[in-house]
Amino acid sequence: MSEFSEKDVQRSVTELETKSASAARLFDIRRIIGLLFVVYGVIVTIAGIAPSDSSLDKAEGVNINLWTGLAMLALGLFFLIWLKLRPAAPPPPPVGMDERQLGGH
C-alpha cells in the first residue's frame, strides 16, 4: 500500500502548481525588461543633463544622451504599466476537481 492517499497527492500537486504560478509572475519578462530600461534610462538621462561640448559636436548639436535616456525611461515605464494593467493569469484548476478537493472549505 502507498503511504500517501490520493487526496494527499492531489493537495501536494495543487500546492506546487500554485508556487509555480507565483514564480512565473515574479519572473515575468515584462518586469525584467521594464526595470532594466528604467535603470539604464535614468543613468543615460543623467549623463545627458549636462553634456560636454565634445559630445554635442560628435552628435551634430543633438543631445543624444538626454533623448535616448528619456525614450528608455518611457519604454521601461510602458512595460511596468503594462504588467500592472495585465498581470499574468494564474493557471486554471485541474480538470475534474472541485473546491473541496483543492483544499478549500
Side-chain angles (χ1 to χ4, degrees):
M1 287 288 236
S2 172
E3 72 182 78
F4 297 108
S5 70
E6 181 68 26
K7 189 174 182 178
D8 291 336
V9 172
Q10 288 295 332
R11 186 177 301 123
S12 296
V13 168
T14 304
E15 288 174 4
L16 288 173
E17 286 175 344
T18 303
K19 289 178 184 178
S20 175
S22 297
R25 281 191 295 271
L26 179 64
F27 294 110
D28 190 347
I29 193 74
R30 295 174 293 179
R31 180 183 317 248
I32 296 168
I33 291 173
L35 289 174
L36 282 174
F37 269 99
V38 167
V39 169
Y40 288 134
V42 167
I43 293 169
V44 174
T45 301
I46 290 172
I49 289 175
S52 65
D53 290 333
S54 64
S55 67
L56 285 176
D57 289 340
K58 287 180 192 177
E60 297 182 3
V62 177
N63 191 349
I64 195 74
N65 284 337
L66 180 64
W67 291 110
T68 304
L70 291 174
M72 291 173 77
L73 276 171
L75 183 64
L77 290 174
F78 167 76
F79 273 98
L80 294 176
I81 291 169
W82 179 23
L83 177 67
K84 189 72 170 172
L85 294 176
R86 300 283 239 160
V95 177
M97 296 188 74
D98 62 11
E99 192 166 323
R100 285 179 285 137
Q101 291 173 326
L102 291 174
H105 290 78

